[in-house]
Amino acid sequence: MYQQGWHFSPITTTVIFGVYAVAILLALLVVGSLSDHAGRRPVIFGSIVAQAAVVVFAGADGVPALLCARILQGLATGTVGRCTPCWFHVLIFTGLPESPSS
């Protein structure tokens, strides 16, 4: 769609989609430690807010805006994918409210 509508080269389209994968990988590698330190709840809620990258997509007018939106979306998706299973495990098996030290 972007390649045809905005006349992107194949490499530009590849880069726009590739930064998403890099952002997810970065989030998966880094966010676990962050959630252990700050708590899973604030990290997950922050990533949900970051999913507002959809707004950046809607207003995108070129490559920089698309790259920014894909990076935000990748970081947010990786964060939720990394933290949510741990959070559910804590809630289900301990039944205790989460604290940053858990």
Side-chain angles (χ1 to χ4, degrees), residues 5-100:
W6 290 350
H7 309 291
F8 288 166
S9 69
I11 190 70
T12 302
T13 305
T14 301
V15 168
I16 289 169
F17 283 96
V19 296
Y20 177 76
V22 172
I24 284 180
L25 180 61
L26 183 64
L28 290 172
L29 293 173
V30 173
V31 168
S33 298
L34 176 65
S35 71
D36 288 342
H37 177 71
R40 287 174 187 83
R41 187 176 299 148
V43 172
I44 289 173
F45 288 148
S47 69
I48 291 170
V49 170
Q51 287 289 358
V54 173
V55 173
V56 178
F57 267 130
D61 58 355
V63 174
L66 287 173
L67 288 173
C68 181
R70 294 296 284 176
I71 291 169
L72 283 172
Q73 191 177 36
L75 290 173
T77 303
T79 299
V80 169
R82 176 75 168 167
C83 294
T84 303
C86 297
W87 191 24
F88 285 155
H89 178 78
V90 168
L91 292 174
I92 290 170
F93 291 109
T94 65
L96 300 172
E98 185 204 32
S99 68

